[in-house]
């Protein structure tokens, strides 16, 4: 094992999406993550989200299963669960119980609504959490309904990644205090946190309340996507004047014939000119035109095309694990380079404890 988290021991209770993603990040960085599955294994299978784990099966609804779990927790650094508030306590492995046997344990709780509040005990999914966090309403075209960005904001950015950050912060604090603590990672909190920039822009009157009419939400024609002659798309992010000029040069347009870049009244006409220009060539042709440019223009690739882009290929941004192409661990480190992740591996509790004790 290698990576900056080598030597960190994590017990992960089986779950879906945010918890597995957060623990995948920890495993990618070198932590020894042991996932506890229900009898019969993880269902549905996690695929790449389950990489880098050793797995065991325990029935946590039985005293024997809980007793075995406590044996693991006694020697762990981190414990991750994603139950609704109070469930772990009721089953016999809440944070107070585990702190009695391991006061250095970082106990991380991954939920949608958090450990308290009127909605804490309710069911929900990514789209619900980002909805009340104010992160869904701004997404979409002007005059159209909000559009969910798959489940990237709630489950992964505002959930699993927040969980990983919280765990790392608690481990760092433990190195000073010698004591563990509870990490309450809630997707609604994380999704709200992701909107900090928009709140700041609004405070200085640089962001309006109407969806799809702002600088970064598709309102500005120089920060948008355009269809090409072959049905592909190009992404344009030419915000600063030098980059905007490079965009015009690539498109063969002259600023003298166009509305001023930041004149909102001219944005519809500017968008029409850009759309007409991009429709004249294929995605591959435009990629060639802008390949050596600072115009901030890039081809819109599918997840299945992205591994073959020359930049991604040279950096090995994607790897193959167990026959599945998937993103490589990130970020990168100069000294403690993590090993290539391995597929999940079933083990027994004695095998784990032999390593941990």
């Amino acid at each position: 094992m290698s990576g900056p988290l080598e030597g960190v021991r994590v017990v992960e209770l089986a779950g879906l999406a945010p918890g597995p993603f957060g623990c995948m990040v920890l495993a990618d960085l070198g932590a020894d993550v042991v996932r506890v599955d229900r009898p019969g294994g993880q269902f549905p299978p996690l695929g790449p989200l389950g990489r880098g784990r050793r797995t065991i099966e325990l029935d946590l609804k039985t005293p024997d299963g809980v007793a075995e779990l406590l044996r693991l927790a006694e020697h762990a650094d981190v414990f991750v669960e994603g139950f609704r508030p109070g469930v772990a306590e009721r089953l016999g492995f809440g944070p107070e119980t585990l702190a009695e046997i391991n006061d250095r344990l970082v106990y991380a709780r991954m939920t949608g609504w958090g450990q308290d509040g009127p909605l804490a005990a309710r069911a929900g999914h990514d789209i619900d959490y980002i909805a009340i966090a104010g992160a869904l309403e701004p997404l979409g075209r002007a005059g159209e309904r909000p559009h969910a960005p798959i489940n990237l904001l709630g489950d992964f950015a505002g959930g699993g990644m927040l969980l990983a950050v919280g765990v790392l912060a608690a481990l760092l604090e433990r190195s000073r205090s010698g004591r563990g603590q509870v990490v309450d990672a809630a997707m609604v909190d994380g999704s709200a946190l992701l909107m900090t920039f928009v709140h700041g822009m609004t405070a200085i009157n640089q962001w309006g309340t109407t969806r799809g009419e702002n600088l970064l939400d598709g309102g500005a024609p120089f920060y948008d996507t355009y269809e090409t002659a072959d049905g592909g798309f190009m992404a344009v992010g030419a915000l600063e004047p030098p980059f905007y000029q490079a965009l015009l040069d690539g498109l063969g347009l002259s600023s003298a014939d166009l509305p001023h870049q930041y004149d909102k009244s001219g944005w519809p006409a500017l968008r029409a000119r850009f759309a007409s220009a991009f429709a004249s060539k294929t995605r591959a042709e435009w990629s060639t035109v802008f390949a050596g440019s600072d115009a901030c223009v890039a081809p819109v690739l599918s997840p299945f095309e992205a591994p073959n882009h020359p930049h991604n290929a040279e950096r090995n941004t994607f790897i193959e694990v167990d026959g599945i192409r998937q993103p490589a661990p990130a970020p990168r480190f100069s000294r403690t380079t993590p090993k290539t992740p391995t597929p999940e591996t079933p083990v027994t509790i004695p095998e784990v404890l032999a390593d941990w004790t």
Side-chain angles (χ1 to χ4, degrees), residues 37 53 71 113 168 173 223 229 248:
D37 290 339
R53 318 290 216 284
R71 290 178 66 198
W113 305 113
L168 296 177
E173 191 280 335
Y223 199 92
L248 298 186

Side-chain angles (χ1 to χ4, degrees), residues 8-11 69-79 102 104-106 174 356:
V8 174
R9 302 162 175 176
V10 180
V11 174
L69 180 67
L70 296 185
R71 290 178 66 198
L72 288 175
E74 183 179 358
H75 302 284
D77 297 292
V78 181
F79 185 91
N102 183 354
R104 290 175 54 82
L105 186 69
V106 172
R174 190 188 70 174
W356 285 12

Side-chain angles (χ1 to χ4, degrees), residues 5-23:
L5 294 186
E6 183 174 5
V8 174
R9 302 162 175 176
V10 180
V11 174
E12 170 196 4
L13 301 192
L16 296 174
F21 178 71
C23 289

Side-chain angles (χ1 to χ4, degrees), residues 86-149:
V87 172
E89 286 86 346
R90 188 167 68 248
L91 292 174
F93 47 84
E96 292 185 2
T97 298
L98 297 194
E100 291 178 359
I101 63 173
N102 183 354
D103 64 0
R104 290 175 54 82
L105 186 69
V106 172
Y107 192 112
R109 318 194 81 163
M110 182 74 258
T111 62
W113 305 113
Q115 296 301 307
D116 51 33
L119 295 175
R122 302 277 72 81
H125 275 299
D126 176 289
I127 196 169
D128 307 304
Y129 310 135
I130 69 174
I132 75 157
L136 176 58
E137 192 279 338
L139 304 179
R141 294 291 181 181
E144 298 181 5
R145 61 186 180 179
H147 189 274

Side-chain angles (χ1 to χ4, degrees), residues 10-16 19-20 23 33-47 49-51 53-62 65-66 68-69 72 79-80 83 93 343-349 352:
V10 180
V11 174
E12 170 196 4
L13 301 192
L16 296 174
C23 289
V33 182
V34 175
R35 192 181 73 230
V36 179
D37 290 339
R38 302 172 182 85
Q42 169 72 35
F43 184 83
L46 294 176
L49 287 182
R51 71 192 188 192
R53 318 290 216 284
R54 294 190 288 176
T55 66
I56 60 175
E57 294 183 14
L58 290 177
D59 185 352
L60 298 181
K61 294 183 179 180
T62 67
V66 172
E68 292 289 85
L69 180 67
L72 288 175
F79 185 91
V80 179
F83 296 116
F93 47 84
E344 56 190 61
T345 306
V347 293
T348 64
I349 287 183
V352 175

